[in-house]
Amino acid sequence: MIKFPKDFLWGTATSSYQIEGAVNEDGRTPSIWDTFSKTEGKTYNGHTGDVACDHYHRYKEDVEILKEIGVKAYRFSIAWPRIFPEEGKYNPKGMDFYKRLIDELLKKDIMPTATIYHWDLPQWAYDKGGGWLNRDSVKWYVEYATKLFEELGDVIPLWITHNEPWCSSILSYGIGEHAPGHKNYREALIAAHHILLSHGEAVKAFREMNIKGSKIGITLNLTPAYPASEKEEDKLAAQYADGFANRWFLDPIFKGNYPEDMMELYSKIIGEFDFIKEGDLETISVPIDFLGVNYYTRSIVKYNEDSMLKAENVPGPGKRTEMGWEISPESLYDLLKRLDREYTKLPMYITENGAAFKDEVTEDGRVHDDERIEYIKEHLKAAAKFIGEGGNLKGYFVWSLMDNFEWAHGYSKRFGIVYVDYETQKRILKDSALWYKEVIQKNSIE
Ligand SMILES: OC[C@@H]1[C@@H](O)[C@H](O)[C@@H](O)c2nc(CNc3ccccc3)cn21
């Protein structure tokens, strides 16, 4: 049996656009994901978040389920277009939903953990110079974050400024798979810079408000990169893949500079870094209270002269999830050790870890998702090994509480430990939820 520390924070995670629905209710205006999902060919079968899990109306039932599972904390995100449906126009009715949700959580003794931005940029911000491409996005974001701190500051102990800046910049403005669907690498790095800058400015605003008992951090998706062989060229490919996925965000936050090797590589592609102004890196690297780590899988790369990053992915030997991601719990251990060694001794939380598998409701009305139990158990073992060696890991949030809108994959991929029948909106606790309930109760895994 593997025991976890007494106060280990067991949780689950979701995000606003993926579960809420009610996209036109109580003053909410469209986000870039409303626009993107309604654009032909952008999401699986044209799926949108219009209804999703109808959480906006069913939040009480969903908090009951959180209580049933016994989580200590619940990570959700706040929809910016509910709070500021237009530039400068605060919408109290939008805020009221989150006050109701938080009240329910506190009544059940569940710690609210809020992500300020989980990709649902208001369309009005995008219409003003491309959203994160416009340096004014920093000002808009700080106005939004400050209002949240004013209204909710002392009832949310853990604040996360951004979920995965890599996704909201590189995947969204560079690769084009996510909203707003641009395919311009210079834009991707400009967006990344403004998102990181907005993070730093929000942390400064948070500090000035001196909110007692609350902590602030950021969540990064981190993918350890391994060379396909011991060849020097493959090791160079892994270095660039690591810079692309991880160091481009870790270094400015924790070291106050962008990584030199990647600046050199990228300068050949995007030209001048004229969007980096005096003092920006100082702001981006303001001290935070914790690091959120989203971990799903690793990458294995070999050298490829023709690729921008000189790296080409090669398949790993492990089993894969429905997303095609290799299952590699040992890489989570490697990642945590590396973060501890090279970046920070601050408290860390695994703010997302989970897997999509082919889930189905069987004759007995249950969902026997043994693969997901195995996935979570193996990753918890890796986390426990890190903690056992003195690692400062304080909590673990399963992605996700419930099946939901999986971005470009729509509803075709199920990550939940709770099954959602989208026809009826019925929730069914999968075997993984029942297993996780026991893990939390015993604070240990077998
Ligand atoms: O894909 C599962 C989840 C997603 O539902 C969450 O909203 C998001 O925070 C999230 N991030 C990752 C890891 N990063 C990633 C990499 C490539 C494409 C999409 C996400 C996985 N997930």
Side-chain angles (χ1 to χ4, degrees):
M1 176 177 71
I2 301 172
K3 280 297 276 179
F4 282 78
K6 188 172 56 64
D7 53 357
F8 193 70
L9 199 65
W10 297 100
T12 58
T14 63
S15 88
S16 43
Y17 189 73
Q18 292 182 272
I19 67 167
E20 288 180 359
V23 291
N24 300 315
E25 207 140 327
D26 292 334
R28 180 186 183 278
T29 55
S31 74
I32 55 173
W33 267 96
D34 294 87
T35 307
F36 190 72
S37 62
K38 289 177 170 62
T39 306
E40 179 72 29
K42 298 300 183 187
T43 63
Y44 174 84
N45 281 1
H47 289 175
T48 75
D50 282 357
V51 177
C53 308
D54 193 33
H55 175 72
Y56 192 81
H57 300 114
R58 297 167 190 269
Y59 70 94
K60 285 189 179 177
E61 175 192 355
D62 292 333
V63 173
E64 284 292 340
I65 290 171
L66 286 165
K67 189 64 188 171
E68 166 63 24
I69 296 168
V71 298
K72 307 296 182 193
Y74 170 54
R75 177 183 174 230
F76 58 94
S77 82
I78 296 169
W80 188 345
R82 294 194 190 281
I83 310 300
F84 282 92
E86 293 171 55
E87 183 184 0
K89 288 232 175 68
Y90 170 53
N91 175 34
K93 285 180 88 174
M95 186 70 78
D96 286 349
F97 166 68
Y98 297 102
K99 290 182 175 177
R100 294 195 296 273
L101 171 63
I102 291 162
D103 283 350
E104 285 303 306
L105 291 168
L106 295 175
K107 275 193 306 197
K108 307 274 195 257
D109 199 19
I110 296 168
M111 180 198 286
T113 302
T115 305
I116 296 172
Y117 184 71
H118 199 128
W119 309 352
D120 40 2
L121 183 76
Q123 184 65 35
W124 63 255
Y126 178 74
D127 293 343
K128 291 175 183 285
W132 293 111
L133 300 182
N134 184 342
R135 195 173 166 100
D136 285 347
S137 55
V138 175
K139 174 186 64 176
W140 301 329
Y141 176 86
V142 172
E143 178 186 39
Y144 161 53
T146 301
K147 180 56 79 175
L148 297 181
F149 299 150
E150 285 167 359
E151 295 291 322
L152 308 172
D154 57 353
V155 292
I156 292 180
L158 291 180
W159 285 96
I160 295 165
T161 56
H162 280 276
N163 179 71
E164 302 188 347
W166 184 90
C167 285
S168 20
S169 58
I170 311 301
L171 194 57
S172 304
Y173 286 87
I175 297 169
E177 185 184 316
H178 280 194
H182 293 199
K183 296 182 180 178
N184 178 319
Y185 212 73
R186 177 174 168 78
E187 287 188 352
L189 297 183
I190 291 169
H193 186 69
H194 293 155
I195 289 166
L196 287 171
L197 196 53
S198 74
H199 155 77
E201 292 293 359
V203 172
K204 284 158 67 173
F206 181 84
R207 298 292 184 225
E208 279 153 30
M209 295 173 76
N210 202 12
I211 300 166
K212 293 276 171 273
S214 293
K215 304 286 183 191
I216 193 163
I218 189 169
T219 278
L220 303 179
N221 57 298
L222 299 170
T223 306
Y226 297 82
S229 78
E230 285 306 300
K231 283 192 290 187
E232 283 313 309
E233 63 179 27
D234 288 349
K235 288 181 184 173
L236 181 63
Q239 177 191 320
Y240 285 141
D242 176 49
F244 169 73
N246 308 317
R247 290 183 289 116
W248 192 258
F249 297 92
L250 285 167
D251 285 23
I253 292 167
F254 290 107
K255 298 181 176 176
N257 59 265
Y258 284 109
E260 260 312 305
D261 61 336
M262 301 311 290
M263 292 281 283
E264 198 181 318
L265 181 70
Y266 287 156
S267 61
K268 295 175 191 134
I269 302 152
I270 71 148
E272 293 301 308
F273 286 85
D274 48 5
F275 49 88
I276 302 174
K277 310 294 182 197
E278 184 69 32
D280 285 359
L281 271 297
E282 196 182 334
T283 298
I284 292 171
S285 58
V286 290
I288 52 179
D289 302 316
F290 66 87
L291 173 66
V293 176
N294 286 1
Y295 173 79
Y296 288 86
T297 188
R298 64 167 176 175
S299 73
I300 300 172
V301 293
K302 69 179 183 185
Y303 186 81
N304 176 346
E305 179 58 39
D306 303 333
S307 116
M308 174 188 91
L309 291 167
K310 308 297 172 204
E312 175 186 329
N313 282 322
V314 300
K319 285 191 288 185
R320 289 172 188 289
T321 70
E322 273 301 291
M323 296 296 279
W325 298 343
E326 184 192 14
I327 299 173
S328 178
E330 59 286 347
S331 301
L332 171 59
Y333 171 77
D334 289 349
L335 169 63
L336 294 170
K337 292 295 277 186
R338 190 255 181 116
L339 291 170
D340 176 82
R341 194 175 55 245
E342 296 178 25
Y343 286 98
T344 181
K345 300 292 181 190
L346 284 175
M348 291 191 282
Y349 294 86
I350 294 173
T351 38
E352 284 180 30
N353 175 246
F357 291 109
K358 269 195 179 23
D359 294 329
E360 57 175 22
V361 183
T362 42
E363 295 280 293
D364 57 1
R366 304 275 300 275
V367 179
H368 303 300
D369 56 337
D370 297 344
E371 289 176 298
R372 184 171 289 105
I373 292 173
E374 184 65 16
Y375 179 99
I376 297 173
K377 184 189 296 183
E378 291 308 309
H379 286 81
L380 284 174
K381 283 182 187 170
K385 184 179 174 193
F386 173 69
I387 295 169
E389 294 170 1
N392 199 4
L393 183 68
K394 310 302 278 183
Y396 175 91
F397 292 77
V398 174
W399 185 270
S400 178
L401 166 64
M402 66 182 96
D403 297 335
N404 58 52
F405 175 79
E406 179 48 41
W407 308 111
H409 297 276
Y411 300 98
S412 69
K413 305 296 180 192
R414 292 179 179 271
F415 276 88
I417 57 175
V418 174
Y419 184 93
V420 177
D421 176 335
Y422 296 109
E423 300 294 314
T424 64
Q425 288 297 349
K426 183 180 173 199
R427 276 82 160 129
I428 302 171
L429 273 69
K430 301 178 190 175
D431 288 0
S432 55
L434 305 175
W435 172 81
Y436 194 51
K437 174 176 180 174
E438 214 178 305
V439 168
I440 298 171
Q441 273 170 349
K442 295 178 177 170
N443 198 36
S444 64
I445 50 176
E446 294 308 323

